[in-house]
Amino acid sequence: MQAPESQTFVTHLECGYTGEVFPADTIQGLSSAGKPLLVRYDLEALGQAVDKNDFATRPEGMWRYREFLPVRSGRDVVSLGESDTPLIPLTRMAERLGAKSIVMKDEGRLPTGSFKARGLSMAVSMAKELGLKRLAMPTNGNAGSALAAYGTRAGMETYIFCPADTPEVNVREIALQGGKVWRVNGLINDCGKIVGAGKEAMGWFDVSTLKEPYRIEGKKTMGLELADQLGWQVPDVIFYPTGGGTGLIGMWKAFNELREIGWISGDLPRMIAVQSTGCAPIVKAYDEGRRHADLWEGAATIASGIRVPVAVGDFLILDAVRESGGFALAVHDEDIAAAHARVPSEDGMLLCPEGAATAAAYEHALELGLVSPDERAVLFNCGSGLKYPMPPADAELDHSQSIDWDTLAMA
Ligand SMILES: *Cc1c(COP(=O)(O)O)cnc(C)c1O
């Protein structure tokens, strides 16, 4: 845990689109251009104040990278015991594909069972620091769960709006963790409109993806942690299931900050934005060579975490993908479902559908020659597979009858 008076190195906030500067330590949403704000640091002072080897001696988890984070006072940190997330080699998958190294970073181990914990632990801590008491967001499920949990822990009220077909488990976990939650007969952008419309009457603060500056900083810790775990090296290529893109933008920010400080050198990873063909606005914009994406009509995919028809940070995602020499790739839901079944049966690792999408995209990209089998790849499993529907397993046995062991062995 952060020392109460620990120093941070935040200098200001900056519009990710226009570069317009906004003061730190004040409540801010989007920039005056209606675009996401990015937190900027005095990286030179940061690099002098802390050594990259210092982190190994601190308790694990995202808060060990406090110098890279915006929270000024350790007393404002709202935590539920965030741990490091492991890097798990998918050895059999790599063997089957003739690939040098495929590693899954398993974010399902975090509090509330998804990497949304990183962003919301940070956003709620900053909300506490800035004196906010009532927070609201639209969510496909996991972000709402994390907001409810961290908000409740901080003693705040949370108002959460989900599309009608949000997985039951998410709606219930939100409610159980003290969130006020509604199902809305629309998609996440319709839910977002409710949050916008209620601002004045309800006096809540909008913690929608990228509509406040701090969730990115929480997700940035995935990049810091990954580089740290690899001995301040980075992989060649990262496959990231992209909805609002917070994690992809955050990791890219992390790698650039680390390079500026001089802790990593050489090529940064190629960033691959993975979407479903049922909702692929970023892939479409990438293919068309554009910097902004159009609203995706009729969004539908089994990977609900990446069912985001419009992303306010579209240009930040597309810039990161292009600057890194990566690409954006959509996979069919059938291939997501196949990978969701294959990876746990092959390598023993249960995935959420969005994590399965990265495995499907990796295989597809290999077939298309978009990645080489020599590139060291990191895929992201963003949530616990236990939260999602699994194919039925309904074999039964009658213990009062004699068992045919040969049949059993054939199962
Ligand atoms: C939110 C979410 C995503 C998308 O993450 P972004 O960083 O917002 O693009 C992917 N998978 C799951 C399980 C999620 O909850």
Side-chain angles (χ1 to χ4, degrees), residues 115-116 142 219 240-247 305-306 352 354 382 388:
F115 62 9
K116 291 295 192 301
N142 286 322
K219 283 276 196 85
Y240 186 80
T242 306
T246 329
I306 54 175
C352 64
E354 298 78 6
C382 17
Y388 297 86

Side-chain angles (χ1 to χ4, degrees), residues 45 61 189 208 225 247 255-256 269 298 319 353 362 369:
N189 45 320
S208 300
E225 187 180 295
F255 299 141
N256 280 286
D319 287 356
Y362 176 83

Side-chain angles (χ1 to χ4, degrees), residues 203 301 315 396:
T301 167
F315 64 101
E396 290 178 1

Side-chain angles (χ1 to χ4, degrees), residues 58-396:
R58 297 180 182 176
E60 68 169 298
M62 58 185 268
W63 290 104
R64 85 165 95 186
Y65 303 106
R66 59 194 176 232
E67 286 86 354
F68 286 86
L69 302 176
V71 178
R72 301 257 185 214
S73 166
R75 281 185 292 267
D76 292 325
V77 169
V78 184
S79 170
L80 283 162
E82 302 71 33
S83 54
D84 290 354
T85 63
L87 293 171
I88 301 171
L90 300 180
T91 317
R92 293 211 182 84
M93 177 173 166
E95 257 169 42
R96 174 169 55 79
L97 298 171
K100 184 157 126 193
S101 167
I102 310 172
V103 172
M104 187 70 83
K105 189 159 173 64
D106 187 12
E107 295 279 306
R109 316 289 182 98
L110 288 163
T112 71
S114 88
F115 62 9
K116 291 295 192 301
R118 294 183 189 264
L120 273 308
S121 177
M122 190 65 58
V124 171
S125 297
M126 284 306 293
K128 185 175 172 197
E129 193 146 87
L130 296 169
L132 296 166
K133 297 271 186 273
R134 187 181 269 193
L135 309 178
M137 71 154 53
T139 177
N140 281 322
N142 286 322
S145 168
L147 174 62
Y150 286 96
T152 293
R153 198 152 176 88
M156 297 176 195
E157 261 188 306
T158 58
Y159 289 80
I160 295 161
F161 303 91
C162 308
D165 57 353
T166 299
E168 192 62 39
V169 61
N170 291 130
V171 180
R172 292 187 183 192
E173 64 181 325
I174 291 168
L176 197 54
Q177 292 166 164
K180 299 179 180 179
V181 60
W182 290 266
R183 288 183 180 277
V184 177
N185 57 343
L187 291 175
I188 189 157
N189 45 320
D190 301 306
C191 297
K193 284 180 198 148
I194 297 175
V195 172
K199 257 185 204 167
E200 208 166 304
M202 299 298 291
W204 58 42
F205 182 73
D206 184 350
V207 277
S208 300
T209 306
L210 304 189
K211 288 192 182 164
E212 58 75 57
Y214 302 112
R215 285 175 60 186
I216 291 183
E217 297 303 296
K219 283 276 196 85
K220 187 178 84 175
T221 62
M222 291 192 293
L224 301 173
E225 187 180 295
L226 179 61
D228 192 353
Q229 284 172 315
L230 298 174
W232 303 104
Q233 305 270 323
V234 289
D236 297 316
V237 60
I238 292 178
F239 282 72
Y240 186 80
T242 306
T246 329
L248 193 146
I249 297 165
M251 279 193 281
W252 187 240
K253 189 169 185 283
F255 299 141
N256 280 286
E257 289 175 357
L258 290 174
R259 185 160 68 177
E260 204 169 318
I261 294 181
W263 291 3
I264 59 175
S265 55
D267 289 339
L268 298 186
R270 302 207 291 141
M271 304 298 291
I272 316 304
V274 176
Q275 298 198 305
S276 159
T277 52
C279 182
I282 298 298
V283 176
K284 182 164 178 282
Y286 174 80
D287 288 342
E288 292 170 353
R290 298 169 52 213
R291 198 174 176 217
H292 289 285
D294 296 326
L295 174 97
W296 189 271
E297 299 287 349
T301 167
I302 54 168
S304 56
I306 54 175
R307 192 183 54 175
V308 179
V310 55
V312 63
D314 51 2
F315 64 101
L316 293 171
I317 302 169
L318 287 155
D319 287 356
V321 163
R322 292 193 176 109
E323 276 169 31
S324 70
F327 51 89
L329 187 65
V331 283
H332 290 283
D333 270 17
E334 303 87 82
D335 296 327
I336 297 176
H340 185 245
R342 185 175 59 245
V343 174
S345 55
E346 193 169 56
D347 276 299
M349 185 172 168
L350 196 64
L351 301 176
C352 64
E354 298 78 6
T358 66
Y362 176 83
E363 289 207 27
H364 194 39
L366 208 58
E367 277 162 24
L368 296 172
L370 293 171
V371 291
S372 126
D374 291 332
E375 286 183 282
R376 290 161 308 157
V378 170
L379 319 184
F380 271 82
N381 183 50
C382 17
S384 165
L386 290 171
K387 274 195 179 186
Y388 297 86
M390 292 172 233
D394 41 22
E396 290 178 1

Side-chain angles (χ1 to χ4, degrees), residues 384-408:
S384 165
L386 290 171
K387 274 195 179 186
Y388 297 86
M390 292 172 233
D394 41 22
E396 290 178 1
L397 213 50
D398 182 350
H399 72 92
S400 65
Q401 304 293 311
S402 73
I403 294 172
D404 180 348
W405 300 111
D406 290 333
T407 314
L408 199 88

